[in-house]
Amino acid sequence: MSIIASNFKTNHTRATTKEFIEKTNNYLIENKIKSEVLIFPTATSLDSFSTVSNLDIGVQNAYGAIKGSYTGEIALEQINEFALKTILIGHSERREIFKESQKDIAKKFEFYKNLGFKIVYCIGEPLEIKDQGLEKTLEYIFEQFIGIDTSYPNLILAYEPIWAIGTGVTATNEDIKEVHSAIKNKINRPLLYGGSVKLENIKEICEIENVDGALIGTASWKVDDFIEMIEKTKDL
Ligand code: 13P
């Protein structure tokens, strides 16, 4: 069964997020879809959404604290207000743009793990590492597991090569197969692929061995397209 996730990044408003979630929820109910669906809205669009059990709303980021003086961040108290229990950790945009170190990420992971959150944990290499070959790529990726408890049962992994994110350049099926099988060999958790997944390639990607679903940015932001992507992968 596929896991299909939409990362809104810095897109959508409160109104359009609500509409998006309601429409997706209705589609899942009306069509008795069993796929696990995850939506990560912006922090300002979070709310107490009522959804079917296989649709989870999560936060894209939060500080690893109950509350406190962390200007610009949200933390557990704000998440609890909406009874959310899902978080995205380690996204390359957090690592690269916001300079989150592996140590910061591991600390955040530990905090939300101890609270039983479902964690979607992202890993992925930049182009200059990919260009050095598979061995170096895997070395780089496995360094992103330092300090991370990979035996945590509520963990979903997402392999997102940085050079494929928002670029329109999807990794080849061969690239995906190699990296996914190497990760799966060591860590037996559901493993999503992300990076320029779109309507035209989602089914093919989700059919690759050791791919358990997709984490989609750009191509998922129109709700009808997101629903069509769930539809295309519902029987996998
Ligand atoms: P794109 O689908 O826009 O390439 O983004 C992927 C991603 O970063 C999802 O987290």
Side-chain angles (χ1 to χ4, degrees), residues 7 9 91 93 160 164-167 194-197 215-219:
N7 178 4
K9 305 191 178 183
H91 194 281
E93 285 154 15
E160 300 202 306
I165 296 179
T167 56
S196 297
V197 173
L215 175 56
I216 316 142
T218 318

Side-chain angles (χ1 to χ4, degrees), residues 167-232:
T167 56
V169 182
T170 320
T172 64
N173 292 356
E174 204 45 46
D175 285 332
I176 299 173
K177 204 170 157 183
E178 279 175 347
V179 175
H180 274 238
S181 70
I183 297 173
K184 277 273 192 174
N185 251 334
K186 291 205 179 173
I187 306 166
N188 188 22
R189 298 303 312 149
L191 177 55
L192 315 182
Y193 169 78
S196 297
V197 173
K198 43 196 170 235
L199 269 174
E200 301 74 47
N201 62 18
I202 190 163
K203 183 155 189 275
E204 193 183 331
I205 289 173
C206 289
E207 278 170 346
I208 298 172
E209 218 182 317
N210 293 318
V211 175
D212 301 301
L215 175 56
I216 316 142
T218 318
S220 69
W221 298 334
K222 280 192 191 134
V223 66
D224 291 340
D225 290 350
F226 185 54
I227 288 174
E228 206 175 324
M229 287 193 262
I230 302 169
E231 179 69 28
K232 278 179 186 285

